[in-house]
Amino acid sequence: MLAPAGRFAPSPSGDLHIGNVRTGILAYLWARTTGRHFRWRIEDLDRVSPGAAQRQLAEFEALGVSVDGPIVLQSDRLAHYEAACRGLEARGLVYECYCSRKDIQSAPSAPHAPPGAYPGTCRNLTESERESARRRLADAGRAPALRLATDRSERPVEDALLGTLTAHIDDVVLRRGDGVWAYNLAVVVDDGDMGVDQVVRGDDLASSAPRQALLCDLLGLPVPAYAHVPLVLNPAGARLAKRDGAVTVAQLTERGFDVWGWVGTSLGFGPWRGIDDALAEFDPAGLSREPTVFDPPPLSPAESAPGRR
């Protein structure tokens, strides 16, 4: 049995910005100071930028972050997602969905469901209706998605920072129409197999926690302890993005930026000198609950040039 663990699971779509790094550091500190291992997963089912995964891990190692166990690639785990889906299907909990995004946006909402929730359009089709829909998608070069048949109820989940999170759970996608396994299924299966019982991540993902907790229940996996941390925003109050200026660790380091000092201050602890300071002083009870505003230095003309990573 694997030791209890926290994790960081970046997507290798490009270099991480300082907000991503801050969240990863928080996940590491929270795991280590609660006696857990710290695991690293590369979520490479979708967009992948060559070399990004290696650079991301190297940046954390340079900051003193140590990883326990092997690095996990989601692209190596497709059979695990397939097996989980087939187990749900055997219990009558999976159905094909033929809707496009436009179909879903234009469909009337189900009673008591929030705007944008999937209304269950394809849930109770006859077999002849399904066969017709399959042919229609095949003629357009598409395939049906797979959805989880839920009871469409609300599921509460406890969060260390946000309290009780409650969300209406619609029939979430398990496998997309392009054949890619969906985020909610993949992370639940991965966390269960990796011994992850603590999930620290940005609060933009808080609404996913009830869905993932339901999937844990259905797959016989323990629900992890959640902590959704405030994001780093730009001066306009929007989520920090690479277009805002020099925001990656490499760009900031070139300018003499003190990453550890800024991270410690942004979290409400004062400037840290390095990872030892952070491990000695970190306490979830003292963590700032407010978003942090970061005003990035401007990019140089060379950094702004097309093709620059």
Side-chain angles (χ1 to χ4, degrees):
M1 183 175 179
L2 290 173
R7 50 82 160 170
F8 188 50
S11 170
S13 57
D15 293 332
L16 300 173
H17 62 60
I18 189 66
N20 306 136
V21 171
R22 177 180 180 265
T23 298
I25 287 172
L26 265 174
Y28 174 79
L29 296 175
W30 216 309
R32 287 286 188 246
T33 57
T34 53
R36 289 174 167 85
H37 285 191
F38 181 70
R39 307 200 185 279
W40 189 280
R41 183 168 69 238
I42 299 171
E43 299 198 338
D44 60 344
L45 295 181
D46 214 330
R47 293 183 299 137
V48 175
S49 176
Q54 293 77 15
R55 292 194 300 273
Q56 291 171 355
L57 182 57
E59 286 180 344
F60 273 79
E61 290 175 337
L63 290 168
V65 170
S66 58
V67 175
D68 299 302
I71 307 301
V72 173
L73 278 75
Q74 286 191 324
S75 57
D76 289 340
R77 293 182 44 77
L78 305 184
H80 296 267
Y81 312 141
E82 177 79 26
C85 186
R86 293 297 164 239
L88 295 171
E89 187 175 31
R91 295 161 59 189
L93 296 176
V94 178
Y95 66 92
E96 291 183 345
C97 176
Y98 316 99
C99 297
S100 66
R101 289 184 181 179
K102 184 177 179 181
D103 294 334
I104 296 170
Q105 290 169 354
S106 61
S109 298
H112 312 299
Y118 182 69
T121 307
C122 299
R123 184 168 182 165
N124 297 313
L125 299 179
T126 65
E127 187 51 42
S128 63
E129 289 172 326
R130 294 185 187 282
E131 186 56 39
S132 176
R134 291 187 196 108
R135 288 196 300 269
R136 172 173 54 82
L137 288 186
D139 290 343
R142 295 168 52 206
L146 297 179
R147 287 187 180 271
L148 176 71
T150 71
D151 61 6
R152 306 182 196 177
S153 63
E154 292 189 340
R155 173 68 152 81
V157 171
E158 292 305 312
D159 184 274
L161 296 179
L162 303 179
T164 302
L165 301 173
T166 303
H168 174 274
I169 303 175
D170 60 0
D171 291 355
V172 296
V173 172
L174 301 174
R175 191 186 69 198
R176 299 180 344 200
D178 60 4
V180 175
W181 292 104
Y183 167 77
N184 284 305
L185 177 68
V187 299
V188 165
V189 173
D190 291 341
D191 286 344
D193 287 349
M194 294 169 69
V196 171
D197 69 344
Q198 180 188 83
V199 173
V200 178
R201 59 189 179 188
D203 61 13
D204 57 326
L205 293 172
S207 63
S208 297
R211 298 186 188 97
Q212 291 167 13
L214 173 64
L215 276 167
C216 286
D217 291 344
L218 294 175
L219 293 171
L221 299 171
V223 177
Y226 291 104
H228 290 89
V229 300
L231 296 179
V232 177
L233 308 179
N234 66 19
R239 289 176 57 176
L240 187 68
K242 293 171 190 174
R243 63 179 174 271
D244 293 318
V247 295
T248 69
V249 170
Q251 291 168 337
L252 293 169
T253 300
E254 288 174 1
R255 291 162 171 78
F257 184 79
D258 180 4
V259 173
W260 274 114
W262 178 83
V263 168
T265 301
S266 76
L267 296 174
F269 297 99
W272 287 331
R273 291 170 295 178
I275 196 164
D276 291 338
D277 267 7
L279 287 168
E281 296 181 13
F282 178 73
D283 179 0
L287 185 65
S288 172
R289 263 60 168 180
E290 298 301 320
T292 294
V293 174
F294 182 70
D295 191 0
L299 291 170
S300 68
E303 290 170 317
S304 302
R308 173 84 176 191
R309 73 166 189 262

